[in-house]
Amino acid sequence: MRAMAGAAPSEPRLRADARRNSEQIRSAAIGAFQGQGLTVPLEKVAQAAGVSKATIFNRFGGRIGLIDAVIEEVVARELFAVIEHTRSVGAVERIAYYLTAIRDLQYRQPAFNDVLLQTYPHSRQLMEICRVGSEANEEFIAAARASGALRPEFTAGDLHALVLDNALALKHGTRPPRDDYDRRTMYLLDGIRGRSAASGGR
Amino acid sequence: MRAMAGAAPSEPRLRADARRNSEQIRSAAIGAFQGQGLTVPLEKVAQAAGVSKATIFNRFGGRIGLIDAVIEEVVARELFAVIEHTRSVGAVERIAYYLTAIRDLQYRQPAFNDVLLQTYPHSRQLMEICRVGSEANEEFIAAARASGALRPEFTAGDLHALVLDNALALKHGTRPPRDDYDRRTMYLLDGIRGRSAASGGR
DNA sequence: TCGTAATTTGACTCGCTTGGTCAGTTTACC
DNA sequence: GGTAAACTGACCAAGCGAGTCAAATTACGA
């Protein structure tokens, strides 16, 4: 590693071309990560940015640096919004809303699954996102159990496993049509609901 | 490929050492496949059999030939037994029994997941096993729906996806403790049951 | 308009693992 | 013992993307 450290380089005055390239790489990375996940070959990102792969190393120090520089826009923002919004949902439907929203994110954003699966454990940012996510899980599970919306034997670990399994399925398998996916989300919800809770429709 | 074709070589009179090695390789393969799945390095199988890797190629022509020679003992027998036995279960509990048994097989036999995932599509035997399995799926789904044990919108494709996702999770993830796994099987069952059907306990 | 240092880049190396091959040696069998 | 079958150690192939570097290019200040 030469001199890189964190996000958008700004410490030393960059030359104009370097600044321009940084920006192009950033936005190419956001697009590529969102479309194909965090494991997309850097070569492709470079191509989309109209620069050489080596330039990515010059500007960001490598994949980890690049991820740290854009992960906020790629997934963190959206995830935190989901968590935040979930808190405003009524206690009884909250856990169903949360799981549905998470699964939606997983379906739409391959990068989100890479975060969950901790594909790059060397990125602080990624680990931090995971941590926050785990805490949200526990928060919502506890609340849901208290409200009777969830069957009592269901643990935070169960939720975690549920989501991780889905991440693996989406990552290594063929993604199903959206309506099939959503229907299966319903089965899931019905399987974890407490007896007392009323279902949405069914 | 030199001269191999199918299962246990028997066409031309083999020399005594060759016959002995074939047998050792077969049983080593059964052990290795059951323990670590069909993707276990041939080197390891050879080591367990006390021969060189090249001997496996001499005797079986390669991984596919070896798989074809032992897949019966490794998974087919047990799978067919499950299917057969499922037919003798009462209509209402049948689908639950089937899914539970399949998931048990998936947990205990990594090789079974390799079959499901069609890791080696060049093996006729593997494909045949898949075909038979798919037919069983449809048979049981149809019966379950007819008996009201299954929610009506649940399709054979849903069952297939359910099982495949689990195969991917077990293959690429960390396998959970058995009791967690079984509990999650319960959630699953509760999520796909028809309204009328009574659950086992809960 | 230079001089210089920052920047870019094409072409490379590297790692890493397993399947598969082959020449040369050992072994079974008649 | 002679011969062909069988075994084996050592080797190659392949894929594939990360990361590196010397050489060329470019921005920028004087």
Side-chain angles (χ1 to χ4, degrees):
Chain A
M1 52 193 78
R2 187 138 331 180
M4 281 316 315
S10 54
E11 268 295 21
R13 229 23 176 205
L14 285 176
R15 240 170 59 179
D17 50 352
R19 233 171 309 147
R20 179 168 18 95
N21 284 336
S22 278
E23 207 36 59
Q24 285 172 337
I25 292 170
R26 272 179 59 94
S27 73
I30 292 173
F33 284 161
Q34 287 189 330
Q36 308 172 67
L38 301 183
T39 61
V40 62
L42 291 184
E43 180 69 52
K44 283 196 183 178
V45 176
Q47 212 171 333
V51 301
S52 140
K53 180 176 44 153
T55 299
I56 295 184
F57 285 83
N58 287 341
R59 297 289 111 244
F60 297 90
R63 161 165 266 129
I64 303 296
L66 183 55
I67 290 177
D68 283 347
V70 300
I71 196 64
E72 183 78 24
E73 280 98 315
V74 174
V75 300
R77 205 190 298 281
E78 201 168 3
L79 171 61
F80 294 153
V82 164
I83 293 176
E84 200 54 39
H85 189 233
T86 297
R87 294 207 172 96
S88 73
V89 173
V92 175
E93 310 104 50
R94 194 177 304 160
I95 192 67
Y97 174 86
Y98 182 59
L99 183 49
T100 305
I102 290 293
R103 282 183 50 104
D104 172 60
L105 219 44
Q106 291 187 278
Y107 188 90
R108 293 198 339 265
Q109 297 283 2
F112 183 59
N113 290 323
D114 291 323
V115 174
L116 286 171
L117 296 171
Q118 311 198 14
T119 310
Y120 300 102
H122 295 299
S123 163
R124 289 181 190 171
Q125 312 243 20
L126 253 48
M127 300 308 283
E128 177 62 10
I129 294 176
C130 277
R131 203 185 53 73
V132 174
S134 291
E135 285 179 7
N137 275 6
E138 281 169 32
E139 171 188 335
F140 295 137
I141 289 293
R145 212 191 278 137
S147 80
L150 198 62
R151 49 197 300 171
E153 71 267 45
F154 193 88
T155 70
D158 287 336
L159 178 58
H160 196 231
L162 215 70
V163 172
L164 276 193
D165 284 4
N166 190 44
L168 287 169
L170 285 169
K171 186 174 185 70
H172 299 284
T174 61
R175 20 155 66 189
R178 187 67 211 234
D179 56 330
D180 288 342
Y181 185 80
D182 288 338
R183 185 155 28 83
R184 288 162 198 162
T185 301
M186 283 308 194
Y187 303 155
L188 225 76
L189 291 175
D190 285 348
I192 70 177
R193 244 188 278 272
R195 319 191 202 196
S196 58
S199 115
R202 164 84 120 109
Chain B
M1 56 194 76
R2 185 136 337 173
M4 283 316 315
S10 55
E11 268 295 19
R13 230 11 176 215
L14 284 175
R15 238 168 63 175
D17 49 354
R19 233 171 310 147
R20 177 167 22 92
N21 284 336
S22 278
E23 206 37 58
Q24 285 172 338
I25 292 170
R26 271 179 60 93
S27 72
I30 292 174
F33 285 161
Q34 288 189 329
Q36 296 158 243
L38 301 182
T39 60
V40 62
L42 291 183
E43 181 69 52
K44 283 196 182 178
V45 176
Q47 211 172 332
V51 301
S52 140
K53 177 177 51 155
T55 300
I56 295 183
F57 285 84
N58 287 341
R59 297 289 109 245
F60 298 90
R63 161 166 265 129
I64 302 296
L66 183 56
I67 289 177
D68 283 348
V70 301
I71 196 63
E72 183 78 23
E73 281 98 314
V74 175
V75 299
R77 205 190 300 280
E78 201 168 3
L79 170 62
F80 294 153
V82 164
I83 293 178
E84 200 55 40
H85 189 234
T86 298
R87 294 207 173 95
S88 72
V89 173
V92 174
E93 310 104 52
R94 194 178 300 160
I95 192 67
Y97 174 86
Y98 182 59
L99 183 49
T100 304
I102 291 293
R103 281 183 51 104
D104 173 60
L105 219 45
Q106 291 187 278
Y107 187 90
R108 293 198 338 266
Q109 297 282 2
F112 184 58
N113 290 324
D114 290 322
V115 174
L116 287 171
L117 296 171
Q118 311 200 12
T119 311
Y120 300 102
H122 295 300
S123 162
R124 290 182 191 171
Q125 313 242 18
L126 253 47
M127 300 309 283
E128 177 63 10
I129 294 175
C130 278
R131 202 185 54 73
V132 174
S134 291
E135 286 179 7
N137 275 5
E138 282 169 32
E139 172 189 333
F140 296 136
I141 289 293
R145 213 189 279 135
S147 79
L150 198 61
R151 50 197 299 171
E153 70 269 43
F154 192 88
T155 70
D158 287 337
L159 177 58
H160 196 230
L162 215 69
V163 172
L164 276 192
D165 284 4
N166 189 44
L168 287 169
L170 286 168
K171 187 174 184 69
H172 299 283
T174 61
R175 18 158 65 191
R178 187 66 209 235
D179 55 330
D180 288 342
Y181 185 80
D182 288 337
R183 184 154 28 84
R184 288 161 199 161
T185 301
M186 282 310 195
Y187 303 155
L188 224 76
L189 290 175
D190 285 348
I192 70 177
R193 244 189 277 272
R195 318 191 203 197
S196 58
S199 111
R202 165 81 120 114

